[in-house]
């Protein structure tokens, strides 16, 4: 394990993020930076309404020329921060890119220009709960309704409508954004005319009990995350499921207060889930049982007595590994540290909490039996355990949930962060997918 970063190093990194001490303190929320504990603001739990104009330019000087940053107001209760490329020429088809956790619109920076160069207007928002998008509730005890999948679909629908589009050529989602993209194309195929899902497969809609009034046996419910979590805790090496831990009150503060500092936490977490970590050699699991799930790395099935900060710290890359990481330089890493140091993680964690709510599942059952019937493809890093963390989901996606899946790609040299680790290959695959779809005029 590498030595903990020095105080001078962390302070220098903080200066390079161009954050004033005052703006950092307002939203840093008990983060340890350079060994200094920053106290949590008493106004932490509230509707987030940051004055974007008071913040440093998005990306801290690392955004490629040709990508612009701006906000779009009155989008399903939000003011949405977006990155755009290919915006200069009106009349282009649009492509919507939805990031995951803990990511940002910035995570798409390396594929935006290739798509724009091919003739598309490329739009990447900070999703509800993230970055410089405002108007969402970051209170742990607040109302989680707005973080439900169908409302996230409304966020996407509202954004493309505000930008003047009746439909888009494709919605592309990574990680948690993959789920939103899947539901966008399932619920409104007239608007989201194709879908590319990355890392997280879509296994279909939740079933509705059928013919039970006439004696049919209700389908056996799959084990819940809470039930799996309880089973994991009884293993000889006691474990816990990361999504269930993400739903706890401690999760945000654990990561914000990472003893190694927020920069070192992000560096280790991104390394741990990348192809650069030698232990990422995924394979299909036989079943969704504690014994099988425990075969995954500890970023998915954590040791019972550790939070994610401690889990990541054990896999901090060496100085040589950091220097060789061309897909995420220190300056690029600093963008995530600056944004999450200001907002915290709770906004992103709200989606995990809402997703397990029975009310959310009941809403999704409205579409029980529906499939994704627009052209779709799946792209993931070959070293990404996310492909297999829900046994059988890939097979359901390919065989039934997506009726026009025209491509299934596992990219060499990439782990979970596929669009950043191997952006050239991902851009190539996306362009091929887009160019294979029928072209129609899309702007009103």
């Amino acid at each position: 394990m590498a030595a903990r970063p020095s105080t001078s190093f962390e302070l220098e990194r903080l200066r390079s993020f161009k954050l004033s001490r005052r703006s950092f303190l307002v939203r840093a929320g008990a983060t340890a930076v350079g060994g200094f504990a920053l106290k949590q603001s008493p106004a932490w739990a509230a509707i987030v309404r940051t004055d974007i104009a008071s913040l440093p330019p998005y990306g801290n000087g690392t955004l490629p020329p040709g990508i612009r940053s701006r906000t779009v107001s009155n989008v399903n209760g939000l003011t949405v921060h977006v990155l755009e490329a290919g915006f200069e020429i009106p009349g282009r088809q649009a492509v919507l890119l939805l990031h995951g956790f803990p990511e940002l619109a910035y995570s798409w920076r390396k594929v935006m220009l290739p798509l724009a160069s091919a003739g598309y207007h490329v739009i990447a928002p900070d999703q509800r709960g993230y970055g410089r998008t405002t108007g969402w509730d970051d209170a742990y005890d607040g109302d989680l309704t707005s973080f439900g999948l169908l409302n996230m679909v409304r966020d996407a629908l509202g954004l493309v409508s505000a930008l003047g589009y009746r439909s888009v050529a494709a919605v592309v989602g990574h990680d948690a954004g993959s789920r939103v993209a899947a539901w966008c194309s399932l619920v409104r195929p007239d608007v989201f005319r194709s879908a590319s899902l990355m890392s997280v497969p879509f296994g279909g809609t939740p079933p509705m009990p059928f013919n039970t009034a006439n004696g049919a046996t209700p389908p056996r419910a799959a084990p819940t995350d809470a039930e799996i979590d309880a089973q994991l805790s009884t293993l000889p090496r006691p474990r816990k499921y990361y999504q269930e831990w993400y739903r706890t009150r401690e999760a945000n503060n654990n990561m914000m207060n990472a003893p190694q500092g927020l920069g070192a936490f992000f560096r280790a977490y991104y390394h741990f889930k990348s192809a650069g970590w030698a232990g990422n050699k995924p394979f299909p699991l036989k079943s969704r049982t504690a014994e099988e799930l425990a075969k995954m790395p500890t970023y998915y099935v954590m040791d019972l007595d550790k939070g994610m900060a401690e889990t990541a710290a054990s896999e901090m890359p060496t100085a040589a590994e950091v220097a060789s990481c061309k897909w995420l330089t220190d300056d690029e890493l600093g963008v995530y540290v600056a944004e999450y140091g200001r907002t915290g993680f709770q906004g992103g964690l709200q989606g995990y909490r809402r997703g397990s709510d029975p009310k959310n599942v009941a809403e999704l059952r409205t579409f029980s039996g529906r499939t994704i019937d627009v052209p779709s493809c799946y792209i993931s890093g070959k070293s990404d355990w996310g492909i297999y963390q829900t046994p059988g989901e890939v097979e359901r996606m390919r065989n039934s949930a997506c009726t026009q899946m025209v491509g299934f790609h596992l990219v060499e040299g990439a782990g979970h962060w596929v669009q950043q680790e191997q952006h050239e290959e991902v851009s190539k695959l996306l362009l091929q997918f887009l160019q294979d779809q029928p072209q129609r005029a899309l702007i009103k």
Side-chain angles (χ1 to χ4, degrees):
M1 176 177 172
R4 175 177 170 174
S6 68
T7 297
S8 61
F9 172 83
E10 288 289 347
L11 290 176
E12 184 59 34
R13 293 300 307 135
L14 183 58
R15 292 188 192 100
S16 74
F17 304 151
K18 303 178 183 177
L19 285 175
S20 70
R21 180 173 174 80
R22 180 178 180 275
S23 66
F24 190 82
L25 283 169
V26 166
R27 300 300 296 174
T31 276
V33 177
F36 295 101
L38 304 179
K39 299 299 182 181
Q40 182 170 329
S41 165
W44 178 269
I47 300 297
V48 174
R49 301 199 183 282
T50 306
D51 178 11
I52 300 299
S54 68
L55 298 177
Y58 190 88
N60 297 324
T62 66
L63 276 181
I67 296 179
R68 75 174 176 185
S69 163
R70 66 162 170 153
T71 57
V72 180
S73 301
N74 302 315
V75 176
N76 198 27
L78 300 173
T79 296
V80 178
H81 172 256
V82 298
L83 297 180
E84 292 176 282
F87 52 85
E88 304 90 347
I89 302 174
R92 289 180 159 201
Q93 297 189 89
V95 175
L96 181 67
L97 309 177
L98 303 176
H99 67 81
F101 178 87
E103 294 182 292
L104 298 163
Y106 182 78
S107 304
W108 295 107
R109 67 197 178 280
K110 297 186 179 183
V111 302
M112 293 183 72
L113 291 179
L115 295 180
S117 295
Y120 296 96
H121 178 191
V122 188
I123 305 156
D126 283 337
Q127 291 213 81
R128 177 181 294 269
Y130 295 86
R132 299 193 179 187
T133 287
T134 62
W136 45 273
D137 188 351
D138 70 349
Y140 185 85
D141 295 312
D143 184 1
L144 297 177
T145 304
S146 65
F147 291 91
L149 272 169
L150 295 186
N151 197 50
M152 301 283 275
V153 170
R154 283 190 288 272
D155 290 346
L157 186 64
L159 177 60
V160 298
S161 181
L163 292 172
Y165 289 93
R166 296 294 187 187
S167 65
V168 298
V171 58
V172 182
H174 176 249
D175 186 72
S178 177
R179 296 199 188 281
V180 181
W183 281 91
C184 282
S185 58
L186 185 144
V187 175
R188 292 301 304 267
D190 57 320
V191 176
F192 304 98
R193 293 178 21 244
S194 67
S196 178
L197 313 180
M198 293 189 184
S199 297
V200 173
F202 176 69
T205 56
M208 186 78 76
F210 182 75
N211 204 32
T212 53
N214 298 315
T217 302
R220 188 174 70 174
T224 65
D225 288 353
E227 290 169 338
I228 289 292
D229 201 54
Q231 294 170 19
L232 287 166
S233 70
T234 65
L235 294 177
R237 177 186 174 184
R239 309 285 284 279
K240 60 190 175 188
Y241 186 47
Y242 81 110
Q243 289 194 21
E244 195 66 10
W245 181 82
Y246 276 163
R247 297 175 182 123
T248 66
R249 191 178 295 273
E250 71 177 285
N252 177 64
N253 284 337
N254 172 269
M255 293 183 284
M256 288 294 292
N257 283 319
Q260 65 268 43
L262 195 56
F265 167 73
F266 267 110
R267 174 58 74 186
Y269 187 81
Y270 285 145
H271 170 72
F272 200 6
K273 297 185 74 171
S274 75
W277 188 67
N280 282 327
K281 300 184 185 300
F283 52 85
L285 301 176
K286 296 176 182 178
S287 60
R288 194 166 188 263
T289 60
E291 292 77 10
E292 282 293 296
L293 294 180
K295 296 175 182 178
M296 293 193 292
T298 54
Y299 52 76
Y300 278 149
V301 183
M302 304 161 67
D303 286 317
L304 187 62
D305 61 348
K306 292 181 180 178
M308 193 60 78
E310 296 78 20
T311 298
S314 66
E315 301 300 334
M316 181 69 185
T318 65
E321 288 173 320
V322 172
S324 67
C325 183
K326 304 305 181 185
W327 65 269
L328 188 63
T329 66
D330 275 349
D331 286 340
E332 291 172 325
L333 183 76
V335 176
Y336 296 101
V337 178
E339 293 300 313
Y340 279 90
R342 183 176 54 80
T343 66
F345 293 84
Q346 194 60 57
L349 296 173
Q350 304 290 53
Y352 289 96
R353 298 175 63 216
R354 177 62 179 173
S356 66
D357 188 332
K359 292 180 180 178
N360 185 61
V361 177
E363 286 180 348
L364 299 181
R365 283 201 178 100
T366 305
F367 300 92
S368 181
R370 288 281 296 272
T371 52
I372 294 177
D373 298 324
V374 298
S376 62
C377 73
Y378 178 79
I379 302 172
S380 184
K382 192 172 183 179
S383 298
D384 187 1
W385 269 101
I387 308 164
Y388 306 117
Q389 72 158 307
T390 303
E393 198 159 48
V394 163
E395 291 76 15
R396 289 191 295 272
M397 176 181 69
R398 301 184 73 178
N399 297 331
S400 58
C402 298
T403 61
Q404 293 192 60
M405 179 154 276
V406 297
F408 183 87
H409 310 282
L410 302 183
V411 178
E412 293 280 356
H416 187 64
W417 322 106
V418 59
Q419 80 275 38
Q420 298 186 78
E421 294 179 67
Q422 294 293 336
H423 60 93
E424 291 182 353
E425 180 64 18
V426 169
S427 298
K428 176 183 173 183
L429 292 170
L430 285 175
L431 283 172
Q432 184 62 56
F433 173 69
L434 286 163
Q435 291 163 3
D436 285 345
Q437 309 315 317
Q439 308 293 301
R440 294 201 295 264
L442 299 175
I443 296 183
K444 180 179 177 181

